[in-house]
Amino acid sequence: MERNGLMIMVKAILAFILAALFAFGSPMTLLAVGPNTTMTFAFNRRGWVVRTQDAYLPYRNITTLGLNQPTGMVFGNHDLLYIADTGNRRIIVFDTQTEEVHNIFEFEGFQSPRGVFVTAEDWLYVADARANAVFILCALTGEHIRSHYTPTSMAFTDTLFSPNRIAVDLRGNMFIVGEGVYDGVIQLSNGGEFLGFFAANRTTRTFIQMLQDIFFTERQRNARIDRLPGTFSNVTVDNRGVIYSVSILPMGNFTGDGLKRHDMAGRDTFDDMIIWGLQHVDLCVDAGGFIYTVSPDGWIYVFTNRGEMIFYFGAGHLLDTDIAGLFRSVTALAVSSAGDIWVLDDQSNFLQSFRPTEYTRSVFEAITLFNAGLYEESAVVWEDVLRHNQMSVLAHTGMGRAQLHQGNHTQAMASFYLGGHRDYYSTAYWEVRNQWLMDNLTVVLLTVAGLFLLLSVMRHLDRKRVVAGAWGGAKAKVMNAPFLKPVFFAFSVARHPIDSYYYMKLKEKGSLGGAVFHFVLFFAAYMVFQTSRGFLVQMTEVVDMDFMVVIGGFFGLFILFILSNYLVTSIYDGEGSVADIFKLVSYGVFPLTITLFGVTALSHVITHNELFLLNFTLFFGFAYTVSVLWLGFQEIHNYGFKQTFLSLFVTACFMVIAIVVLFNLSILLNEVRGFIESIAREVYAHVTGMY
């Protein structure tokens, strides 16, 4: 009874709240929305997408404009929002400050107005796909100025002129996204003359398409559907006259064409890192240069003027839900002078605004200050952002950039490390290393010269080679010690593999204990290489490593290779035993062991500019090790070149088959274990009377 009474009381309270909202709410505004309908995500230092502080919160939800399948909108002067009300063949001018309809333009030529753009001179450009025209109106009165229809240029005769979206640069040139046009954005002069296609998206091939290109006949290739690039979905021009575009890309297209910033020749000036999100339907650039894009399901992405994603937010996981802040189908977004984001839903026919939080305002302020060259002021604001979120990659990177411009290179390195930004870290480290060399190069050179001089004097004084003889005797005594001689035998294998493996085969040199030592040493080098490289090349952090896979894979492949090679060479009359193959491989990988230790150490003192030295060293060590092992297999098994190649090839095939069999066997055992566990649970449930 008490529980039922409590439920009735809760329902009564909710009903009272809803009644009050409907009774006292304004006719244009539904309600202020709770902050929990959207989530904000950003990249962490490992490159993973993680949830972060709320960047924007739902603010206003406007449903009483009488919209019918609206498709485009743009802000003009005085925060007037121009909405292309496509289904009603009109343009609605909505005042976002007073939340009232300021004007309605119902031009008789409108058939399907979709794209709108307002210039600084208050000229309203309307792209009408069904009318095959661009109409120019006065943005203040709606008075018709002129119209542009299909261009008469011979270069445009085979192209359908069906304008969907439009943008205008500072000279009055029009950039039009046409329906069904894959050649690029249509560019018209301010007089309507066709100037050419501006920019174009790239086509890519999926793995299946690459296989088709290899194995299909010419007739089959000709019968395929043409591969088309992603289509432009919108284009805009910022207050400096820079042109931006977004595209809807097919799945598997990672060309970086999702968001582009164009130069005058149409080339993309962003790096190919702009691949986040394949379905961008609209974009906007505010006065500060920040870029906003939106996907059809309502995910809103925010980028810096450099094309770096700051964060994205939305609630795309909660579609078809009548809650403010959620959408069914988004077609446009626009940003007011106050920084509010307005989003248009063409299925639910409403406007939704999002207001930036203090966290977002601080981030924008810090970036703006940095772009203005106020590095100290920018660092202060970044510190405030870090007080809100100590793990903010953007804040650490921004702080590092400010410190880098201030000359605080060591502090910048620490900030870039926390931010996971390797390019900037390399730049800061180059400065630190360069300063160290300038401060210590004289001491280093004098020390090296002193050592050479000391050695020369000692050689001159030791004419009777007393010291040299004593040193050589001590060295020989150590290297010939019974427990150390098999260990130092690896140097002989690396220098003279054929002779060394011949004596090892005769049991005259080397030992199983020495081979075990070098196997353990190789494993140690492998683990150090996996876990301890410099920040610039250590892409996976230790805490993210699955050591069961790392260690198990090492031992599993090593043992599998030895057993597989023994079984294969037994068939091909090989003379080596399992112990011989183990010693061959353990001694033979010694050059690679030294290489892994050396590369790991070298990775801590190089920048991105010297990465080729690291790669070359690793390649040389690997190639040298392979050649030593190749000669070892020839000598141990008494093979020629052809037999060695065949045995190693069959060994590799045998290993692949064994791995596949073991993988399927593990799946089968897991299924059997699950079946037994389910039976055991059923028996236990029946015995204990749970059913």
Side-chain angles (χ1 to χ4, degrees), residues 568-618:
V568 170
T569 54
S570 297
I571 299 174
Y572 288 96
D573 300 326
E575 298 178 2
S577 63
V578 173
D580 290 333
I581 298 173
F582 174 75
K583 290 190 292 183
L584 181 159
V585 177
S586 297
Y587 279 116
V589 295
F590 180 67
L592 185 58
T593 300
I594 301 302
T595 301
L596 294 179
F597 279 125
V599 166
T600 302
L602 185 62
S603 67
H604 290 272
V605 295
I606 65 168
T607 65
H608 274 165
N609 294 331
E610 297 100 33
L611 279 180
F612 73 95
L613 293 175
L614 210 66
N615 296 328
F616 176 78
T617 303
L618 194 60

Side-chain angles (χ1 to χ4, degrees), residues 344-358:
L344 189 62
D345 191 313
D346 69 332
Q347 288 190 11
S348 299
N349 298 312
F350 71 87
L351 272 175
Q352 173 69 52
S353 71
F354 296 89
R355 176 149 290 183
T357 61
E358 288 300 320

Side-chain angles (χ1 to χ4, degrees), residues 449-678:
L451 290 175
F452 274 108
L453 181 61
L454 179 63
L455 290 175
S456 300
V457 171
M458 290 180 62
R459 288 175 182 174
H460 180 73
L461 296 176
D462 190 30
R463 293 178 179 179
K464 296 183 179 182
R465 301 187 62 82
V466 176
V467 177
W471 169 255
K475 179 181 176 182
K477 186 177 181 179
V478 171
M479 295 189 66
N480 290 323
F483 61 93
L484 291 179
K485 188 175 181 179
V487 174
F488 289 116
F489 177 65
F491 291 95
S492 177
V493 171
R495 288 180 297 173
H496 308 290
I498 297 178
D499 293 340
S500 299
Y501 281 126
Y502 173 78
Y503 288 116
M504 189 182 74
K505 183 179 180 181
L506 297 178
K507 305 294 190 295
E508 295 182 6
K509 292 185 178 181
S511 68
L512 188 60
V516 171
F517 174 84
H518 281 286
F519 171 73
V520 174
L521 187 64
F522 178 56
F523 173 69
Y526 166 77
M527 292 302 298
V528 168
F529 179 79
Q530 290 290 335
T531 61
S532 305
R533 283 171 291 170
F535 173 65
L536 293 182
V537 294
Q538 185 74 35
M539 299 302 176
T540 304
E541 296 188 11
V542 176
V543 295
D544 299 325
M545 292 183 180
D546 188 345
F547 283 98
M548 290 293 294
V549 175
V550 174
I551 298 175
F554 176 86
F555 283 100
L557 289 176
F558 195 92
I559 295 172
L560 181 60
F561 175 78
I562 291 175
L563 294 178
S564 300
N565 187 258
Y566 172 72
L567 294 175
V568 170
T569 54
S570 297
I571 299 174
Y572 288 96
D573 300 326
E575 298 178 2
S577 63
V578 173
D580 290 333
I581 298 173
F582 174 75
K583 290 190 292 183
L584 181 159
V585 177
S586 297
Y587 279 116
V589 295
F590 180 67
L592 185 58
T593 300
I594 301 302
T595 301
L596 294 179
F597 279 125
V599 166
T600 302
L602 185 62
S603 67
H604 290 272
V605 295
I606 65 168
T607 65
H608 274 165
N609 294 331
E610 297 100 33
L611 279 180
F612 73 95
L613 293 175
L614 210 66
N615 296 328
F616 176 78
T617 303
L618 194 60
F619 172 78
F620 179 80
F622 182 79
Y624 191 85
T625 300
V626 169
S627 64
V628 170
L629 291 174
W630 182 281
L631 295 174
F633 281 110
Q634 283 187 319
E635 188 63 37
I636 291 296
H637 294 301
N638 197 19
Y639 282 165
F641 180 88
K642 183 177 180 181
Q643 289 176 302
T644 303
F645 175 80
L646 182 62
S647 65
L648 291 177
F649 176 76
V650 176
T651 297
C653 294
F654 189 86
M655 290 178 65
V656 172
I657 295 173
I659 291 172
V660 172
V661 171
L662 290 174
F663 178 75
N664 291 329
L665 183 62
S666 66
I667 295 177
L668 179 62
L669 291 177
N670 286 332
E671 293 292 334
V672 172
R673 185 183 64 180
F675 176 71
I676 294 175
E677 289 178 353
S678 63

Side-chain angles (χ1 to χ4, degrees), residues 244-264:
Y244 301 79
S245 68
V246 287
S247 301
I248 296 179
L249 304 179
M251 294 301 297
N253 186 326
F254 297 103
T255 58
D257 290 338
L259 168 64
K260 294 192 287 187
R261 180 182 61 191
H262 303 277
D263 59 15
M264 296 305 296

Side-chain angles (χ1 to χ4, degrees), residues 124-141:
L124 171 63
Y125 289 73
V126 181
D128 194 314
R130 190 174 300 172
N132 305 116
V134 172
F135 301 108
I136 304 177
L137 311 177
C138 176
L140 301 178
T141 64

